[in-house]
């Protein structure tokens, strides 16, 4: 399976990383090198093998569904590049 | 008299408790060493005021006779750990200026035990790399140099700052994290001990996530005993990490008895790689002899899916990374790109991430995005997870056949020059060929310095243990350490 320039463009878009048009060919080549390496996995017989979900057999713990934290608006916003009036500020999302 | 910063954790603990030295004196010695070691670029955020404050508090505890093992011990903390009020950026430009409002569980536990932080340590960006060349802070330099050569060498990665700082005696020990070998490979490259505990032994809460099913924090130390002491302080159940194991934390140090008679050590034939340097083959053979000489039984074993571990890793880890790193969007923390006229939120995301992430991080996020995308999920991601099940089963079968631990080389080479492998991602990935299986199987693994190559650079051996049996693993590692008698230190040039 080979990745072309258009696929590279689509992947960059899905990952929300801006890649200039002239860099796409090189990117596609890098993807192909890595995916070529990964192709070896096709040699393995995985018939009937369950995909791993948890490396240590464990049941996730549950806790009571109650509020245990909160009231920290200042702290939540303290690292925001743009925070105004108690909110994160972003460019207009809806016209 | 040896400089205080050259002490091991165990030595310093005993001297502190005996009142021979104070935590402030010890901390000052480390801070002085840090100041003089700018050329290594290991420490990227200096915290001398915090360190001295913690040291004074430690001295009070010591005087009251209530000091835990780590009380007054100066540590370096990998930049991946969130430390309250201190920059924590995972060596990425996208987290420029980020100062957490909270403390990671592991660092909180260390500080509760009285440990002192001398500073935050350099690393590969988001822990993605094997040579510490992807950091926004620049390369870390290995304190070791080949004999008669002044070429700068890599300390390995991703915990390269931790490795360099401990090997150069800038701190007594350091925290690291290991997703595919990021504690053990750098430890081997600088001649120190590096332990990756069983997945779930240490809480991941407050550690910047790379690949959540593989990431695990661990100690990087000057001796195996120190690793045991420090792991005890780092480990334990944390309600804030649902994958942290609710198991009692044993006294790992007490497990170091030096007696390994009757233990069975497996030697996996698949770890004999084509093109492996003779010196590493020879070191591995010496390791077998040392353990046999100490009374262990050495058995050849097979881990048939070893070859597929790296390819499986390079599907699973990028897939998880693409998901984990989605949070860096320029909204809640860190860098936001300057926007042009008419740019909307999508442009904000795309420009922010293009500017904030380095090349290797972008590469892995996009590979992860691809293998998780519609139409490829089964072919790549699910297949890799199936292979992962088989890799884990290889180890389970070995342990079920009576093997107590497995001995392998730690790395396929000694430390290489900075810049040498940087342009070839796949070549770089091969650095983790001996370590990555352990992450995929969730097992504990430890790198122990065992010798020098012909140019005088350290080489390490790796021991792999059963899940939750770090104590037994440390005991075997300590025996190997004793027999190998590795005492070499890098000649100071920095």
């Amino acid at each position: 399976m080979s990745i072309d320039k258009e696929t590279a463009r689509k992947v960059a878009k899905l990952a929300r990383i801006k890649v200039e048009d002239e860099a796409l060919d090189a990117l596609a080549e890098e993807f192909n090198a890595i995916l070529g390496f990964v192709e070896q996995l096709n040699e393995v017989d995985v018939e009937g093998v369950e995909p791993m979900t948890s490396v240590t057999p464990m049941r996730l713990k549950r806790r009571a569904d109650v509020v245990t934290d909160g009231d920290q608006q200042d702290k939540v916003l303290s690292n925001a590049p743009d925070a105004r009036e108690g909110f994160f500020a972003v460019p207009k999302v809806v016209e | 008299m040896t400089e205080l910063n050259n002490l091991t954790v165990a030595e310093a603990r005993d001297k502190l408790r005996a009142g021979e030295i104070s935590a402030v004196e010890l901390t000052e010695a480390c801070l002085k060493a840090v100041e003089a070691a700018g050329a290594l670029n290991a420490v990227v955020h200096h915290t001398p005021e915090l360190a001295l404050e913690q040291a004074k508090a430690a001295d009070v505890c010591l005087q009251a006779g209530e000091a835990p093992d780590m009380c007054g011990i100066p540590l370096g903390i990998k930049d991946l750990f969130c430390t309250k009020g201190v920059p924590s950026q995972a060596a990425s430009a996208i987290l420029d200026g980020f100062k957490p409002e909270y403390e990671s569980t592991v660092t909180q536990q260390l500080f509760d035990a009285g440990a002192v932080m001398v500073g935050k340590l350099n690393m590969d960006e988001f822990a993605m790399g094997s040579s510490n060349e992807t950091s926004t802070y620049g390369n870390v330099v290995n304190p070791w140099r080949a004999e008669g050569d002044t070429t700068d060498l890599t300390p390995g990665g991703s915990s390269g700052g931790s490795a360099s700082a401990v090997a150069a005696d800038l701190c007594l020990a350091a925290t690291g994290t290991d997703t595919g070998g990021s504690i053990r490979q750098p430890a081997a490259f600088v001649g120190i001990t590096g332990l990756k505990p069983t997945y779930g032994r240490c809480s991941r809460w407050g550690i910047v996530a790379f690949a959540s099913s593989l990431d695990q924090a661990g100690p990087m130390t000057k001796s195996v005993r120190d690793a045991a002491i420090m792991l005890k302080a780092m480990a334990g159940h944390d309600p804030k990490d649902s994958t942290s194991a609710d198991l009692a934390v044993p006294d790992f140090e007490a497990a170091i008895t030096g007696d390994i008679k009757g233990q069975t050590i497996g030697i996996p034939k698949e770890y004999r790689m084509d093109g492996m340097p003779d010196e590493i083959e020879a070191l591995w053979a010496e390791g077998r002899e040392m353990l046999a000489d100490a009374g262990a039984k050495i058995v050849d074993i097979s881990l048939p899916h070893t070859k597929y571990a790296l390819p499986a890793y390079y599907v699973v880890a990028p897939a998880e990374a693409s998901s984990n790193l989605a949070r860096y969007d320029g909204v809640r923390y860190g860098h936001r790109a300057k926007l042009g006229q008419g740019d909307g939120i999508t442009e904000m995301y795309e420009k922010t991430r293009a500017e904030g992430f380095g090349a290797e991080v972008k590469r892995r996020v996009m590979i992860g995005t691809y293998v998780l995308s519609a139409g490829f999920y089964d072919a790549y991601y699910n297949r890799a997870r199936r292979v992962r099940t088989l890799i884990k089963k290889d180890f389970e079968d070995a342990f079920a056949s009576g093997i107590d631990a497995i001995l392998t080389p730690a790395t396929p080479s000694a430390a290489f020059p900075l810049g040498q492998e940087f342009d070839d991602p796949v070549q770089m990935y091969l650095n983790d060929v001996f370590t990555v299986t352990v992450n995929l199987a969730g097992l504990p693994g430890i790198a122990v310095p065992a010798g020098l190559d012909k140019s005088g650079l350290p080489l390490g051996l790796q021991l792999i243990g059963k899940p939750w049996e770090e104590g037994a693993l440390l005991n075997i590692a300590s025996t190997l350490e004793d027999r190998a008698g590795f005492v070499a230190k890098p000649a100071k040039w920095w």
Side-chain angles (χ1 to χ4, degrees):
Chain A
M1 201 166 337
S2 176
I3 290 191
D4 57 15
K5 187 175 174 179
E6 281 319 302
T7 310
R9 189 196 308 279
K10 191 179 148 215
V11 171
K13 184 80 193 169
L14 283 171
R16 297 290 184 271
I17 297 174
K18 186 175 174 60
V19 179
E20 300 298 338
D21 195 65
E22 57 270 23
L24 285 171
D25 282 321
L27 186 65
E29 218 170 286
E30 282 178 11
F31 288 168
N32 283 321
I34 296 168
L35 292 170
F37 175 65
V38 164
E39 290 294 318
Q40 297 174 61
L41 294 178
N42 292 328
E43 297 165 14
V44 185
D45 180 4
V46 294
E47 191 62 39
V49 178
E50 278 297 309
M52 183 183 286
T53 46
S54 171
V55 73
T56 41
M58 58 164 69
R59 195 183 142 83
L60 287 183
K61 281 183 173 292
R62 295 173 183 182
R63 65 166 176 84
D65 186 15
V66 291
V67 177
T68 57
D69 203 352
D71 231 358
Q72 310 192 32
Q73 192 182 45
D74 291 352
K75 286 184 179 176
V76 169
L77 294 172
S78 67
N79 278 291
D82 190 0
R84 299 178 210 168
E85 298 166 40
F87 294 94
F88 294 110
V90 295
K92 204 173 189 183
V93 179
V94 184
E95 287 302 327
Chain B
M1 184 191 150
T2 50
E3 301 288 336
L4 294 183
N5 51 304
N6 294 353
L7 295 172
T8 64
V9 173
E11 289 165 352
R13 172 188 61 184
D14 297 346
K15 286 182 188 294
L16 285 164
R17 283 182 176 162
E20 289 172 39
I21 60 171
S22 73
V24 168
E25 286 167 343
L26 180 60
T27 300
E28 281 171 344
C30 289
L31 293 173
K32 201 173 132 203
V34 168
E35 284 311 313
L40 299 176
N41 199 27
V43 183
V44 289
H45 298 291
H46 298 241
T47 54
E49 285 161 18
L50 174 66
L52 287 170
E53 193 185 303
Q54 289 172 324
K56 282 177 196 155
D59 277 331
V60 172
C61 285
L62 282 156
Q63 273 153 18
E66 294 161 356
D69 288 330
M70 292 299 288
C71 192
I73 303 295
L75 302 177
I77 302 295
K78 189 178 182 180
D79 198 37
L80 204 64
F81 291 78
C82 286
T83 42
K84 191 172 180 180
V86 177
S88 306
Q89 352 177 167
S92 180
I94 210 160
L95 277 170
D96 257 343
F98 178 59
K99 284 188 188 171
E101 294 282 356
Y102 49 83
E103 190 71 45
S104 84
T105 297
V106 164
T107 46
Q108 186 65 57
Q109 287 187 194
L110 286 166
F111 297 154
D112 288 347
V116 170
M117 174 167 78
V118 300
K120 297 298 284 288
L121 302 178
N122 206 343
M123 53 179 282
D124 277 299
E125 184 180 8
F126 285 110
M128 297 182 193
S130 303
S131 61
N132 220 125
E133 293 172 281
T134 70
S135 165
T136 189
Y137 310 118
N139 299 344
V140 179
V141 182
N142 191 328
W144 291 84
R145 285 173 164 178
E147 263 163 40
D149 196 330
T150 57
T151 307
D152 282 344
L153 303 178
T154 176
S158 69
S159 309
S162 305
S164 185
V166 174
D169 292 316
L170 310 187
C171 46
L172 272 55
T175 61
T177 62
D178 191 317
T179 303
S182 283
I183 286 176
R184 291 160 286 154
Q185 182 253 20
F189 274 12
V190 303
I192 66 167
T193 299
L195 171 64
K196 184 204 91 75
T198 311
Y199 181 80
R201 182 60 94 179
C202 296
S203 169
R204 290 181 296 106
W205 195 83
I207 301 173
V208 173
F210 162 14
S212 306
S213 78
L214 302 161
D215 297 344
Q216 185 61 204
M220 298 176 72
T221 57
K222 299 177 196 178
S223 74
V224 173
R225 179 171 299 276
D226 284 6
I229 295 168
M230 188 166 162
L231 177 62
K232 189 178 167 206
M234 295 171 72
H237 176 61
D238 176 9
K240 290 187 283 194
D241 173 5
S242 59
T243 62
S244 82
D246 197 355
L247 292 173
V249 178
D251 184 346
F252 299 112
E253 191 183 6
I256 299 177
T257 60
D259 180 8
I260 63 161
K261 282 190 191 70
Q263 299 267 302
T264 306
I265 309 296
I267 309 295
K269 64 174 192 225
E270 290 80 8
Y271 284 61
R272 199 159 281 117
M273 297 281 168
D274 286 342
M276 191 159 84
D278 294 343
E279 287 170 301
I280 292 193
E281 181 82 43
L283 184 79
W284 195 13
E286 283 167 29
R288 287 195 290 266
E289 277 164 34
M290 290 174 207
L291 293 176
D293 192 50
K297 187 177 153 200
I298 309 295
V299 178
D300 286 323
I301 61 167
S302 173
L303 300 167
H305 295 91
T306 299
K307 178 185 167 195
Y308 301 106
L310 265 182
Y313 177 84
Y314 276 97
V315 173
V316 172
E320 295 185 24
S322 76
S323 177
N324 273 325
L325 271 59
R327 72 192 62 173
Y328 304 103
D329 56 5
V331 175
R332 288 160 292 168
Y333 26 65
H335 177 74
R336 177 186 291 191
K338 281 209 169 44
L339 300 182
Q341 195 72 34
D343 278 351
I345 197 155
T346 304
E347 288 78 13
M348 185 193 77
Y349 295 149
E350 291 180 349
K351 287 183 179 178
T352 295
R353 290 161 66 80
E355 290 175 10
F357 291 147
E360 180 64 20
V361 171
K362 286 182 199 173
R363 195 180 285 141
R364 294 203 201 181
V365 166
M366 289 191 275
I367 285 287
T369 303
Y370 179 75
V371 300
L372 290 176
S373 64
F376 301 104
Y377 190 90
D378 253 339
Y380 288 107
Y381 185 60
N382 274 341
R383 174 166 284 268
R385 289 197 302 138
R386 288 193 163 93
V387 172
R388 191 175 173 191
T389 301
L390 293 171
I391 288 165
K392 183 170 179 236
K393 187 173 177 296
D394 284 354
F395 284 103
E396 285 169 350
D397 292 346
F399 292 133
S401 75
I403 298 296
D404 294 297
I406 295 166
L407 180 73
T408 79
T411 58
S413 74
F416 47 86
L418 287 162
Q420 181 175 286
E421 292 178 14
F422 190 59
D423 295 327
D424 184 347
V426 173
Q427 188 61 37
M428 185 65 86
Y429 298 167
L430 293 175
N431 266 289
D432 292 334
V433 65
F434 299 133
T435 48
V436 74
T437 50
V438 173
N439 300 78
L440 290 167
L443 302 171
I446 186 167
V448 179
L452 296 173
D453 76 357
K454 60 179 175 300
S455 54
L457 296 175
L459 295 172
L461 289 171
Q462 173 180 239
L463 283 158
I464 304 168
K466 296 180 187 175
W468 314 117
E469 300 211 5
E470 289 90 350
L473 180 66
L474 285 157
N475 186 35
I476 300 169
S478 169
T479 306
L480 187 65
E481 177 186 46
D482 281 349
R483 304 260 161 174
F486 184 92
V487 290
K489 286 284 214 179
K492 193 167 185 300
W493 54 264
W494 59 90

